Amino acid sequence: MKSYAGQLELGARTAIDYYNVEVESLQLGSINENVTKYGLNLSSEFDSKKADIKATAAYSYITHSETDDAKEKFFNYNLSSELKIIGDSLKLLNSKSLSQRVSSSQQGVFSDEIVGSENLVDVNSTSSSLIYSIPNPRVIRLNANLSYKSTKADSLEDSATPQQSSALLNTDTSSFSLFVGSGSSPRAVNWGINMGSSTSERGESLNTYKTNFLSANLAVGFNPMLSWVSNASVNKNELDGGGFIGEQDLNFTQLGTGLEWSFIRDSSLSIFAKTSKSGEQERRNYIAGEFNWVLSKRTSLKLSVDRNQFGETYGFNFQLANRYIQSSANYREGIDINSNQSSAFSTELNDEVVRVNNGFFNLTYDNLRKVKISARVSYSKQESLEQTQSINSNRKTNGLSLSLQYQLSRKSSFNASFRQNDILYFIPEGSVLNVNERKDENQSLSFTLDTKLSRRLNSKVELSKRKRISNELNADTADNRINLSVSYQY
């Protein structure tokens, strides 16, 4: 549907899914039943020169042949809009969504609409951002962002363990960031100032979390290849009323100066002499550096060595791609909030402040005709920095995922996937939690055949097997399913 003002697109999809489910779990008991899911999905998109508005909604009604207390009705939606107030210079972005998520990685790790739906809670999210940038940044660059985000989860009824309750996720975050610096025109002197502030009010269970940062950079070119660079930064992390474990002072200041060698376009080697101070500790002097090598638009390598509030910190980013093979690797360290660290088998609905170390390696082969093979290895560690801790906040995770996609014909394809996550919920030194360390081994294996029956009618057959092996009493789970699905796209 088109008009002079913009273009409107509407879509609808209906689906019927049949499941044969076999579950062995001391939490859920022994389940052998048939489940039918009736689904309706609606979508709309309006696109014009001034606004882009998207909306999706999904409703599911589910019947069980044996289980009486499972949820029958599910509804989720997502609304997003982008309003161009002044061309591409001033934009207003808004979004609002309702979804269902597992409340804890220790409780109902395989729960979904079909099995264990009592472990799902509604999560409401709202966000708004006002973004401004100078339209022609040849002389000076300026980018500003003012944003607000609210995330709230319903409490999990009859939670077996109070620390696993999702009531901890009740966060309103307001933030502001500003960057101003020299423009894109070539010059001998380049500079930049970056600043920001964020305040997260996290309900009654956790104190308000505040972060502030300010950094400045100055680069003076001796010639096109060699520059003198100086930088300074201040980072503050605060909890109202205290509350960081061990009374840690996470404020951090840093000064540095050094040389940057640009050996080819967009590639450089930087060596800095730096001094830093963390809280009330003595000032430290050290050597830091960064190596950035860009071979092409699809191949690059970046290495960095520095310090933060906790000591030495390392950064690594690698990308390699050609016609058939793509690979990437990344490693980072820092401070974040718990709910941002979710993965396929580890979803936490709380916003404790945590120290994080994350890394991954991806490798994909795609012959651009029939076969696509992907592998991913990942590692993460996070440790709560707060006196008030949930039992899920301190954990180490080793992950492996493998997938195969094979195009059998023009109308049918076969997919196979395997995932494994080994999770250790550890007890840090000095913790007040009176629980034992827990080890979980989570696995999932699935085989799927998708067939296009007509231009609008599709079918799917899927076999899946999921299990959890744990040293925690009564935590082992096995979940085997057969899924037959027919969908129609209007």
Side-chain angles (χ1 to χ4, degrees), residues 295-364:
L295 294 175
S296 67
K297 292 182 179 180
R298 298 184 296 178
T299 303
S300 63
L301 171 66
K302 184 176 181 179
L303 304 170
S304 64
V305 180
D306 211 329
R307 291 187 67 87
N308 63 10
Q309 294 93 328
F310 309 104
E312 291 184 357
T313 179
Y314 302 92
F316 175 76
N317 187 279
F318 171 73
Q319 291 184 337
L320 172 64
N322 57 33
R323 185 177 180 183
Y324 300 115
I325 297 176
Q326 297 85 41
S327 64
S328 62
N330 181 272
Y331 178 78
R332 75 176 187 93
E333 302 176 1
I335 299 175
D336 209 334
I337 56 176
N338 202 0
S339 62
N340 288 342
Q341 306 305 308
S342 300
S343 65
F345 292 109
S346 183
T347 303
E348 307 304 340
L349 291 186
N350 72 61
D351 269 346
E352 291 179 29
V353 182
V354 292
R355 176 185 178 186
V356 295
N357 305 71
N358 292 334
F360 68 83
F361 173 72
N362 288 337
L363 180 63
T364 300

Side-chain angles (χ1 to χ4, degrees), residues 268-286:
S268 62
L269 172 64
S270 304
I271 303 294
F272 297 98
K274 288 192 173 185
T275 180
S276 66
K277 184 177 176 60
S278 181
E280 299 302 323
Q281 298 178 15
E282 293 185 1
R283 186 169 296 278
R284 297 286 300 268
N285 300 316
Y286 53 94

Side-chain angles (χ1 to χ4, degrees), residues 107-158:
Q107 183 173 344
V109 64
F110 294 130
S111 296
D112 55 20
E113 296 179 352
I114 307 304
V115 175
S117 58
E118 63 274 11
N119 291 318
L120 301 178
V121 297
D122 287 342
V123 179
N124 290 274
S125 298
T126 303
S127 67
S128 296
S129 296
L130 185 64
I131 302 173
Y132 175 76
S133 59
I134 287 181
N136 187 6
R138 291 182 56 83
V139 178
I140 189 172
R141 285 187 296 160
L142 188 150
N143 301 298
N145 189 331
L146 180 65
S147 65
Y148 169 79
K149 180 179 180 180
S150 175
T151 307
K152 292 178 171 59
D154 292 345
S155 296
L156 183 65
E157 298 180 1
D158 302 324

